[in-house]
Amino acid sequence: MKALEGVRILDFTHVQSGPTCTQLLAWFGADVIKVERPGTGDITRGQLCDVPEADSLYFTMLNHNKRSITLDTKNPQGMEVLWEMAKVCDVLVENFAPGVLDRMGFSWERLHEVNPRLIVASVKGFGPGPYADCKVYENVAQCAGGSASTTGFRDGPPLVTGAQIGDSGTGLHLALGIVTALFHRTTSGLGQKVDCAMQDGVLNLCRIKLRDQQRLEHGPLKEYSQFGEGIPFGKAVPRAGNDSGGGQPGRILKCKGWETDPDAYIYFITQTPVWGAICDVIGEPGWKTDPDYAKPAARLPRLNEIFGRIEQWTMTMTKFEAMDILNIYHIPCGPILSMKEIAEETSLRETGTVVEVDHPTRGKYLSVGNPIKLSASPTEVTRSPLLGEHTDEILRDVLKFDDSRIAAIMASGATGATEAPSRVAAE
Ligand code: COA
């Protein structure tokens, strides 16, 4: 039995943040029923398409292990079906723009009245405050959550990161909120509202920069390379390139082949307990006792010089050869891996972190698997649903509607053309 088997989710999510959350719950065994607009479905089905007539990778990689029902919520019959679903589900998850759910008549108060056990979980861009009504996408959240102002190089503009900390990050936060509310329900018997704002989620992941903001009020941030360069700090935490900025200074350093391979680099950390080993490995044994280098505080103003010397050593070998040597001495380091290298890494396939999935119209493709491994509830990744693939099955088996009721719903146009899913041929 899967960890969340028996939990039924009304998945009213779209794009990335909400679908990340519900995919995770599906991977843990919940029955996730995705409600989609007839005809188009989740907008990402048709975005960034690479294979004609097939659901995009954007959609397939965020909606594994789910079922799909098409329902037009602007059709009274569609809303009627939705209310029936709200009665038999444990959790409703949504990430519409602020106000959309209320406009549908799906207010928390009304949902709670109809199904007191229902947990209603929402992602919005911002929490209550000046931007509460704003629509938000990933990069807006990265900017408003403190990530962009602290990412990049000091002499360049703010930068967004490729890691989707606003969307997927907030989806992860929301999933934790949902399972916590499910746990609470076992004693309270009641559902509750779970809200995650993307700005809050990003800030939660950027907390060390809020730490440094406060440290800055007490003096310069000595772990940032600009300290050693003699460049004064301003009023806010600066962008610090690839400095770790923490207690164990680190940098990205060139390795053999960097002139032609954009990923021939290694992240190297000068962890204090292995400082002696680092000195020996790079051929500077004298630094172990030299008062300018022996102690962490003495090294801080010299980080550029120290990493420059270490880089002379890393440039003599590939990132993997450097890894092999540094690991003998337990020196913390990591290769800069390209997506190509990650896709081809056999150990990630073996752990199910990268999986190959077969899809009726697109064929085989790679996806991330569940990064959270439960010993008694392993994840089996199954393909994303075709648009409306399970409409009939859900009306019949979940809602227990009889033939005449289903026929009336179909005739009303509430489910669209369910017999022939719109974007794809039947399997
Ligand atoms: N049938 C009919 N209409 C449907 C429907 C269905 N099954 N599902 C949704 N709709 C309608 C909604 O009722 C809404 O209509 P309304 O504005 O007339 O009330 C409409 O679709 C659009 O919803 P909205 O959420 O505003 O979509 P959008 O494409 O304009 O905005 C976002 C997209 C992501 C910017 C916005 O949803 C948002 O800010 N979400 C919260 C933050 C978030 O999660 N952002 C990250 C996304 S990865």
Side-chain angles (χ1 to χ4, degrees), residues 14 16-17 37 71 73-74 95 97 103-104 135-136 167:
H14 65 159
Q16 186 180 162
S17 65
R37 193 197 299 255
L71 277 182
T73 58
K74 304 246 157 117
N95 66 308
R103 283 202 290 283
M104 285 181 189
K135 287 186 179 183
V136 167
D167 280 340

Side-chain angles (χ1 to χ4, degrees), residues 257-414:
W258 67 273
E259 299 92 336
T260 51
D261 176 356
D263 299 307
Y265 290 84
I266 191 167
Y267 201 93
F268 193 110
I269 299 177
T270 54
Q271 192 204 15
T272 304
V274 289
W275 175 245
I278 293 171
C279 296
D280 287 335
V281 166
I282 63 167
E284 293 289 351
W287 280 4
K288 288 190 282 189
T289 49
D290 186 327
D292 281 351
Y293 302 92
K295 296 269 185 267
R299 293 195 287 274
L300 289 179
R302 300 178 174 79
L303 291 179
N304 282 355
E305 181 205 341
I306 289 168
F307 283 115
R309 177 65 189 92
I310 298 173
E311 192 171 59
Q312 282 174 13
W313 178 79
T314 57
M315 282 167 69
T316 62
M317 64 200 81
T318 69
K319 60 191 175 189
F320 298 114
E321 288 165 349
M323 281 287 291
D324 288 345
I325 295 170
L326 296 170
N327 277 324
I328 295 171
Y329 301 99
H330 307 292
I331 298 167
C333 55
I336 307 306
L337 293 181
S338 69
M339 273 299 152
K340 186 170 187 303
E341 287 167 324
I342 287 172
E344 291 165 358
E345 173 60 52
T346 51
S347 65
L348 295 176
R349 301 286 185 99
E350 281 157 16
T351 56
T353 297
V354 175
V355 291
E356 191 177 76
V357 185
D358 205 359
H359 186 275
T361 49
R362 91 169 7 262
K364 289 192 168 37
Y365 65 94
L366 287 186
S367 182
V368 292
N370 192 344
I372 304 167
K373 322 287 186 201
L374 299 189
S375 63
S377 184
T379 297
E380 186 200 339
V381 178
T382 59
R383 70 163 174 85
S384 57
L386 308 180
L387 179 60
E389 183 177 350
H390 306 97
T391 302
D392 189 68
E393 178 182 304
I394 289 158
L395 294 176
R396 223 170 270 286
D397 301 342
V398 176
L399 297 177
K400 313 285 183 215
F401 289 176
D402 59 20
D403 286 346
S404 62
R405 191 162 181 194
I406 293 174
I409 291 164
M410 300 251 178
S412 75

Side-chain angles (χ1 to χ4, degrees), residues 75-347:
N75 174 312
Q77 296 261 33
M79 276 312 288
E80 201 180 301
V81 176
L82 209 54
W83 275 111
E84 293 302 317
M85 288 183 66
K87 287 181 197 161
V88 298
C89 285
D90 299 282
V91 188
L92 183 156
V93 191
E94 64 91 22
N95 66 308
F96 290 124
V100 169
L101 215 59
D102 285 342
R103 283 202 290 283
M104 285 181 189
F106 252 28
S107 66
W108 156 246
E109 292 75 19
R110 187 84 187 97
L111 285 163
H112 191 57
E113 197 180 299
V114 168
N115 179 1
R117 288 177 60 78
L118 185 71
I119 291 155
V120 178
S122 300
V123 170
K124 296 288 166 261
F126 294 92
Y131 304 120
D133 293 333
C134 296
K135 287 186 179 183
V136 167
Y137 283 108
E138 170 70 45
N139 288 347
V140 174
Q142 287 195 24
C143 293
S147 176
S149 69
T150 53
T151 302
F153 288 89
R154 198 180 52 250
D155 49 3
L159 276 189
V160 294
T161 160
Q164 302 285 282
I165 57 177
D167 280 340
S168 290
T170 309
L172 283 165
H173 284 94
L174 192 72
L176 178 61
I178 289 169
V179 291
T180 305
L182 280 167
F183 182 73
H184 185 249
R185 196 182 70 170
T186 59
T187 48
S188 71
L190 291 173
Q192 59 183 301
K193 187 134 179 40
V194 180
D195 289 317
C196 276
M198 293 167 71
Q199 181 185 38
D200 301 6
V202 170
L203 176 58
N204 187 39
L205 300 175
C206 288
R207 68 181 65 182
I208 61 155
K209 298 298 179 181
L210 185 57
R211 172 200 71 192
D212 288 350
Q213 180 61 42
Q214 294 167 86
R215 291 176 61 230
L216 189 56
E217 284 163 25
H218 300 282
L221 302 170
K222 295 182 181 167
E223 299 75 14
Y224 286 44
S225 44
Q226 85 175 69
F227 172 70
E229 292 162 15
I231 297 169
F233 286 78
K235 288 198 164 58
V237 174
R239 294 184 269 289
N242 292 314
D243 292 345
S244 77
Q248 310 296 340
R251 282 288 170 84
I252 288 183
L253 304 177
K254 291 171 185 158
C255 292
K256 197 172 181 177
W258 67 273
E259 299 92 336
T260 51
D261 176 356
D263 299 307
Y265 290 84
I266 191 167
Y267 201 93
F268 193 110
I269 299 177
T270 54
Q271 192 204 15
T272 304
V274 289
W275 175 245
I278 293 171
C279 296
D280 287 335
V281 166
I282 63 167
E284 293 289 351
W287 280 4
K288 288 190 282 189
T289 49
D290 186 327
D292 281 351
Y293 302 92
K295 296 269 185 267
R299 293 195 287 274
L300 289 179
R302 300 178 174 79
L303 291 179
N304 282 355
E305 181 205 341
I306 289 168
F307 283 115
R309 177 65 189 92
I310 298 173
E311 192 171 59
Q312 282 174 13
W313 178 79
T314 57
M315 282 167 69
T316 62
M317 64 200 81
T318 69
K319 60 191 175 189
F320 298 114
E321 288 165 349
M323 281 287 291
D324 288 345
I325 295 170
L326 296 170
N327 277 324
I328 295 171
Y329 301 99
H330 307 292
I331 298 167
C333 55
I336 307 306
L337 293 181
S338 69
M339 273 299 152
K340 186 170 187 303
E341 287 167 324
I342 287 172
E344 291 165 358
E345 173 60 52
T346 51
S347 65

